[in-house]
Structures are given as C-alpha cells and as structure tokens.
Amino acid sequence: MSAADQSAGMRLARWSAVVIIIAVGAAAFRLSFATLKDLAVLAHIPASDAWLFPLIVDGTILLATFGVLVLANAPERRFFVTVLVIGSVVSVAGNSLHAVAAGRELPWWASALVAAIAPISLLADTHGLALLIRAAQRDSAPEPAAAPVVEPAAEQATPEPEPEPVSVPEPQPEPGPLPVPEPVRAAELRPVPDAPVQIPVRSSRPVQTMLPIAVPVGG
C-alpha cells in the first residue's frame, strides 16, 4: 500500500470515528435526558421543571470535559477531572435508579439526593468558570524577562603588596668659601636718612718715609 492510500485510509477512519461519536453521543444524550427527567418527576420535582434536571447533570459533565481538554498542563485540571468523574457517576447512578424505581416514587432519602444535585452543580460550575478565567489571565500575561545568568568570576590570587622603594637621600653639595666683603672706601660713604652718620677713623701712626737704598750692580 502506497503512502497516498494510507493517508486516504487514515482520513476515512478519522471522519468515520467523528460521525459515530456524534451519533452515539446524540442517542445517549436523548435516552439519558428522558431517564433523568422521569427520575426528577419521581423525586417530587414538578413535571414542568423536570427537564432542567438532565440539563444540569449533562451540562456539568460537558463543562468539566472542556476544562480537562483546555487545561492540559495547568494545576486547575485536577478540579475538572474530579467534577467529570462525579458527574459521570451521578448520571450513571440516576439512570440505574430510574430503572430500579420502575415508575414508583423515590423514597425520601433518594428524593433528597436528587434535589441536592442542582445547587451542588451550580457551585461546581461557578468555581470551574472562575478557574478558567484565572488560567486565561495567567496565560495572557507577558512572561517576565529572564534575568541574565551571572557566572561566578574565577578566583584570582590576591597580589602580594610590592615592597616600597627605599628613598636614598641625595648628597648635599658642600658649602663653598664665603665671599669676603670688599672694604668700603671713605669717599663712597653717603649719609643714610634716619641712620647714624659714619665718620672715617684715621690712623694715629705717623707716616714713615721710605729711605732710598742703593743696590750694587754687578758682582
């Protein structure tokens, strides 16, 4: 068989399964609807409102089924799975109880259970709707930007402190001879304002006259 024949066979099987599920589902809903309606009448519910009882049971089952399909990876899925299981048990038990009753009115305890199904279904459906809204808001919210991963820096060895350089004092130049001040002549002295007048001191020694000395010439 070629790949085209296999693909055509898969499409035929898929559509056949869809048609069968729709037909079986419609027939099962019709029978369950009629049975649960009669069960509501046997539980002392007015006949004019008895058709609401199967709608409550089957509607809760459908809501739980949608919740299980939509919230495949969400934590709220567990609640819808629980509601789906309980709703299916109630539907099956109601159909079986209708067969056992055989047209007779239900006892008081059975009638009380049938009457309690409506408010319990309302609470479950309301809570399921709130879970669906919360899940939709969580999925539509923008995801926070991932923080950059900072890798730990490699450990670096602490550098040893470098020895401080020893400062060598520079040799100071030796002081040279101090300059000898030149004598000040008496004529250069000038009176300085607001300063004591300097008077040159003359020597008291008599001036000696140099005698001529004869120097012999030749030997």
Side-chain angles (χ1 to χ4, degrees), residues 120-134:
I120 294 176
S121 299
L122 177 61
L123 293 176
D125 296 344
T126 304
H127 185 65
L129 178 61
L131 293 180
L132 288 174
I133 294 175
R134 185 173 66 183

Side-chain angles (χ1 to χ4, degrees), residues 119-218:
I120 294 176
S121 299
L122 177 61
L123 293 176
D125 296 344
T126 304
H127 185 65
L129 178 61
L131 293 180
L132 288 174
I133 294 175
R134 185 173 66 183
Q137 292 177 350
R138 184 178 62 247
D139 295 340
S140 61
E143 297 182 358
V149 179
V150 180
E151 298 181 357
E155 298 182 357
Q156 299 179 355
T158 304
E160 297 181 358
E162 298 181 358
E164 297 182 358
V166 179
S167 59
V168 180
E170 298 180 358
Q172 299 293 335
E174 297 181 359
L178 298 176
V180 179
E182 297 180 358
V184 180
R185 297 179 182 179
E188 296 178 355
L189 296 176
R190 296 289 187 274
V192 180
D194 300 334
V197 180
Q198 297 181 4
I199 302 174
V201 180
R202 295 182 179 181
S203 178
S204 60
R205 292 179 63 184
V207 179
Q208 295 180 2
T209 304
M210 299 296 295
L211 297 177
I213 299 175
V215 179
V217 179

Side-chain angles (χ1 to χ4, degrees), residues 1-16:
M1 182 181 294
S2 62
D5 295 339
Q6 291 181 355
S7 179
M10 289 296 297
R11 286 195 299 271
L12 178 60
R14 184 166 55 249
W15 283 108
S16 299

